[in-house]
Amino acid sequence: MLLLSFFMFNFNFGKKKPDKKQIIIISVILSSIVATLSQCTGVSSERLWDLLDELQRNLFPQTIINDILLQDPEIVKRRAGRDVDKAIREYQRLTGDDGTVRIPLPRLIKKAPDGSEAQKLIGGEMRRSAP
């Protein structure tokens, strides 16, 4: 029986939850780094946290740092604001500053009736399609 338990493996599926000890240690380290950089550079700690948030989102998604940052409601609030601002800028880029629309408009596609009684009554098939 001992030999059998030696060869047993414990498989886990999905993302492993971070250990509380790891979260505390990394939180203390990150807070110390941000506080030190804020004191040395004069940049506000909120801006440094936002920079860290964007860096980890782009370079290291799905890490323990993301889990730590998502526990702070202020960081989540600022992240949501940045995402909304980014979406607005993207919309303005697509539509243009002068009001002209650069987004392709949908096309109306009409087909001749196929000979059936229903198609004769409504005049054929109509579709709206966007590129």
Side-chain angles (χ1 to χ4, degrees), residues 23-84:
I23 291 176
I24 292 170
I25 291 170
I26 294 174
S27 297
V28 169
I29 292 170
L30 288 176
S31 297
S32 301
I33 290 171
V34 167
T36 303
L37 283 174
S38 179
Q39 288 291 324
C40 293
T41 62
V43 178
S44 70
S45 61
E46 289 84 16
R47 292 186 58 102
L48 290 173
W49 282 113
D50 292 345
L51 176 65
L52 176 65
D53 185 31
E54 288 300 317
L55 285 175
Q56 71 83 27
R57 282 176 79 184
N58 293 325
L59 301 177
F60 310 108
Q62 303 300 323
T63 61
I64 192 170
I65 296 173
N66 188 47
D67 297 335
I68 292 169
L69 293 176
L70 290 179
Q71 291 180 0
D72 186 352
E74 286 300 314
I75 291 176
V76 172
K77 182 179 175 182
R78 290 195 308 270
R79 178 189 279 196
R82 287 192 313 272
D83 288 347
V84 169

Side-chain angles (χ1 to χ4, degrees), residues 108-111 122-128:
L108 180 63
I109 301 169
K110 295 181 181 179
K111 291 187 178 180
I122 62 172
E125 181 181 343
M126 290 177 44
R127 295 182 188 182
R128 196 166 270 286

